[in-house]
Amino acid sequence: MLDAVIVGAGFAGMYMLHKLRALGLTARVFEAGTGVGGTWYWNRYPGARCDVESMDYSYSFSDELQQEWRWTERYAAQPEILKYANHVADRFDLRRDIQLETRVTRAVFDETTSRWDVETDRGDRVSARFCVMATGCLSDAQVPDFEGLDSFEGTWYHTGRWPHQGVDFTGRRVGVIGTGSSAIQSIPIIAKQARHLYVFQRTPNYSMPAQNAPLDAEYERRVKAAYADFRRQARESRVGFVTERSGDSALAVPAAEREREYEKRWSRGGLGFSAAYADLLMSKDANDTAADFFRAKIRAIVRDPAVADLLCPTSYPLGTKRLCVDTGYYATFNLDNVTLVDVRKQPIEVITPKGVRTGGVEYAVDDLVFATGFDAMTGALLNIDIRGRGGRRLDAEWAGGPRTYLGLTVEGFPNLFLITGPGSPSVLSNMIVSIEQHVDWIADCMSHLRARDLATIEATLEAQEAWVQHVNEVGHMTLYPLAPSWYMGANIPGKPRVFMPYIGGVGVYRQKCDEVAAKDYEGFALR
Ligand code: N01
């Protein structure tokens, strides 16, 4: 009889476990992988690197941890982040409550006991008062249903399920399908190894140079000397890290000044570009100024004008699909051994035993890399058969898109918590900041129930409907819905088109969650 089951041992599940132990609660974590680390355990593709800076993308809950850990680069690479996750697991003795290689398949709320009955693919059956989904927003890797893939005689990979021993593409002909963040990071490295690389692009992306570098020791010292304040500012910020944010309209400044601002941000690198002007994600005209700047950059880097043209995004505003961050991406298309294949006009027809056919042409490859993304935000949750009161099924409740209260809870599913669920800032933020906020809130909520001797907490339908509407309204005040992005569910055939994350900002959202708790969990039924 456990107090809590936690699904997933990524950054969310590990911190949740640590926090529950501190409350004196018993918990078991089930994790499908052979190790901890979540995203950073699975995504081992060449070039995998965080696009939030190391000093920001790390836990803040332990000052000893944040003081003692030393990042080597401005943007940490996947192996280093995975090492950090393992360090945390050891340092806080988490492993004894983490059961690896175990996938949760079913979670059913029993109304007679007010407990969750949880089943796994290993035959475990456990009963817990609380069920916490720390399943990740981008963990359900997707390989499109291409005809002929079974017949392919080479080897194929998905970036999000990369072999642990790595892959050496030296001397091989490789095809990469997709040009999102994962592709954009891996393509420059694969191109250096491969005899020939074919990049199959359906939609070009806007990508910023990372301008990665060894971590500046003086910067590290300054941050560590005032880490508490640094973290506070991140928590109060819009996106979970502090970036120079302008309050001006892009259209209110002279073109030359705007150019200088964009140029400054381009040289600085990273995700801060969209904060250059207050209306870049609100006004199409403002956005066009930034998109034009990007297209000019692409044309200046890529020598072949026809290739440059293909690489220039034109069909959606900058930033409305996740902005990418790269090292040498566009310049890779100047290499003789790299060919960009447009699969927009002529989609991939079939995977043949020898390669990929599109537009009547067969591109022969030895290896295929699917950088085709994830069933984001809802995929991993709905892969579990989750049933609430009266046998209500989560997949049926969400048939028209996810519906949550605060992105944390679902009406009809008492004592079920989602960490960084749809309807919370999650993927629009520094994930670790959002994870810590949710874990702290959930732990406080559990303490509250204990102190008041209450069995369950459940969102009311009224509060949930109002929240869903609010999330939608603010989403639709922005340009985001103009892009067929995974934020909108548009990358998965048949998935409802709903803007899933909450764009109100990390600081504002935290305040709302705190207010709800302070008002005796307003919008919830406590029983
Ligand atoms: O996946 P994606 P990702 N035929 O969905 C293409 C985070 N992340 O793994 O745009 C041809 O972005 C698809 O084309 P289109 C980050 O939040 C972070 O790259 O749908 N192409 C697209 O180009 C990111 O946004 C980091 O037309 C097909 C690509 O596959 C998120 O994870 C690094 C296709 C999928 O791109 C997901 O990124 C990596 C088809 N049938 C990831 N189906 C960092 O921190 C799909 N595509 C740096």
Side-chain angles (χ1 to χ4, degrees):
M1 295 283 266
L2 294 162
D3 290 313
V5 157
I6 300 167
V7 188
F11 282 114
M14 289 203 297
Y15 179 41
M16 191 78 244
L17 172 61
H18 177 67
K19 194 81 190 180
L20 292 187
R21 277 195 193 155
L23 290 180
L25 299 179
T26 55
R28 189 180 313 167
V29 182
F30 291 111
E31 164 57 52
T34 60
V36 301
T39 282
W40 304 102
Y41 167 90
W42 296 103
N43 287 270
R44 299 172 190 235
Y45 60 83
R49 186 181 289 289
C50 191
D51 57 10
V52 173
E53 296 190 29
S54 318
M55 297 304 287
D56 293 279
Y57 192 85
S58 48
Y59 284 124
S60 71
F61 69 80
S62 156
D63 192 47
E64 294 77 24
L65 173 68
Q66 68 183 7
Q67 292 296 337
E68 77 196 9
W69 184 264
R70 299 208 62 184
W71 297 103
T72 62
E73 292 178 278
R74 178 181 177 196
Y75 295 98
Q78 174 271 332
E80 188 167 41
I81 305 176
L82 186 58
K83 197 168 142 199
Y84 173 73
N86 277 289
H87 170 75
V88 170
D90 292 331
R91 194 186 191 293
F92 298 96
D93 187 24
L94 300 179
R95 294 186 201 276
R96 63 187 156 86
D97 289 320
I98 301 176
Q99 184 172 324
L100 299 172
E101 295 182 80
T102 309
R103 194 174 278 282
V104 169
T105 51
R106 202 155 191 262
V108 179
F109 185 71
D110 180 340
E111 281 178 87
T112 56
T113 58
S114 291
R115 297 179 70 84
W116 283 90
D117 295 324
V118 177
E119 298 175 17
T120 76
D121 63 352
R122 289 290 199 94
D124 301 280
R125 301 269 185 283
V126 295
S127 158
R129 252 188 93 194
F130 301 103
C131 184
V132 184
M133 295 298 177
T135 39
C137 297
L138 293 156
S139 48
D140 183 20
Q142 290 294 306
V143 177
D145 191 12
F146 288 119
E147 190 193 327
L149 180 57
D150 287 350
S151 75
F152 183 59
E153 289 169 2
T155 316
W156 65 265
Y157 310 92
H158 188 285
T159 48
R161 292 287 178 273
W162 205 256
H164 290 194
Q165 68 279 16
V167 181
D168 182 6
F169 292 109
T170 305
R172 297 176 72 81
R173 296 163 306 172
V174 183
V176 173
I177 299 178
T179 48
S181 298
S182 304
I184 280 177
Q185 290 188 324
S186 55
I187 281 167
I189 295 173
I190 298 176
K192 282 192 189 125
Q193 298 175 358
R195 172 146 62 97
H196 202 94
L197 172 62
Y198 296 97
V199 176
F200 297 94
Q201 172 189 273
R202 187 163 67 181
T203 313
N205 254 304
Y206 298 92
S207 188
M208 276 292 284
Q211 315 288 18
N212 188 33
L215 187 64
D216 178 50
E218 174 49 27
Y219 174 69
E220 181 189 3
R221 196 198 55 72
R222 274 206 320 274
V223 171
K224 285 188 171 175
Y227 229 148
D229 195 45
F230 183 87
R231 300 294 198 183
R232 181 189 53 73
Q233 289 182 44
R235 288 183 199 118
E236 290 171 2
S237 71
R238 269 191 79 78
V239 289
F241 57 86
V242 174
T243 184
E244 187 189 342
R245 188 166 286 282
S246 159
D248 299 337
S249 160
L251 304 171
V253 294
E257 186 186 323
R258 209 165 48 213
E259 267 324 271
R260 272 198 304 279
E261 181 62 26
Y262 290 153
E263 197 61 63
K264 183 182 87 186
R265 292 189 183 242
W266 182 273
S267 347
R268 195 187 291 159
L271 288 174
F273 191 89
S274 325
Y277 294 102
D279 52 357
L280 286 187
L281 289 164
M282 307 297 283
S283 141
K284 178 70 170 57
D285 289 340
N287 193 284
D288 283 344
T289 66
D292 284 343
F293 173 84
F294 262 70
R295 289 186 284 261
K297 280 289 180 200
I298 296 169
R299 294 207 165 90
I301 298 169
V302 179
R303 283 198 289 270
D304 181 333
V307 175
D309 248 14
L310 269 183
L311 286 168
C312 283
T314 52
S315 60
Y316 60 96
L318 176 142
T320 55
K321 278 180 172 233
R322 175 64 137 68
L323 195 61
C324 301
V325 176
D326 72 276
T327 299
Y329 175 64
Y330 294 118
T332 299
F333 293 91
N334 291 331
L335 300 175
D336 291 336
N337 68 329
V338 177
T339 304
L340 182 64
V341 183
D342 178 15
V343 294
R344 161 66 58 194
K345 288 195 207 93
Q346 292 169 315
I348 293 171
E349 290 154 28
V350 65
I351 309 285
T352 68
K354 301 287 176 213
V356 177
R357 196 167 73 216
T358 159
V361 180
E362 185 181 44
Y363 296 87
V365 296
D366 303 305
D367 302 305
L368 262 180
V369 174
F370 291 96
T372 43
F374 303 87
D375 184 352
M377 307 205 72
T378 56
L381 285 168
L382 298 183
N383 284 341
I384 304 170
D385 180 5
I386 302 175
R387 302 190 185 213
R389 269 191 301 106
R392 285 164 62 183
R393 297 169 57 132
L394 190 64
D395 58 354
E397 302 288 321
W398 285 10
R403 308 186 81 74
T404 69
Y405 181 36
L406 301 172
L408 268 164
T409 56
V410 186
E411 185 270 331
F413 298 76
N415 290 2
L416 176 78
F417 295 99
L418 316 176
I419 301 183
T420 64
S424 75
S426 62
V427 292
L428 297 175
S429 71
N430 174 352
M431 287 305 292
I432 301 203
V433 170
S434 289
I435 283 169
E436 287 193 330
Q437 185 239 336
H438 270 186
V439 169
D440 291 344
W441 192 94
I442 293 167
D444 286 348
C445 174
M446 290 179 185
S447 301
H448 179 82
L449 294 179
R450 182 167 62 183
R452 301 234 342 243
D453 201 20
L454 292 161
T456 60
I457 179 164
E458 179 186 348
T460 64
L461 186 59
E462 199 185 3
Q464 176 167 293
E465 292 306 298
W467 184 252
V468 169
Q469 195 185 341
H470 174 62
V471 170
N472 251 293
E473 272 168 14
V474 283
H476 283 267
M477 282 161 66
T478 72
L479 300 176
Y480 277 92
L482 297 181
S485 65
W486 57 255
Y487 296 132
M488 295 290 297
N491 64 325
I492 303 295
K495 189 166 174 173
R497 300 258 178 136
V498 175
F499 185 68
M500 294 183 285
Y502 177 55
I503 203 174
V506 160
V508 170
Y509 171 79
R510 172 186 298 269
Q511 231 173 25
K512 280 185 193 289
C513 291
D514 289 349
E515 277 166 22
V516 163
K519 290 184 186 159
D520 200 16
Y521 291 87
E522 189 179 45
F524 286 100
L526 306 176
R527 297 187 178 95

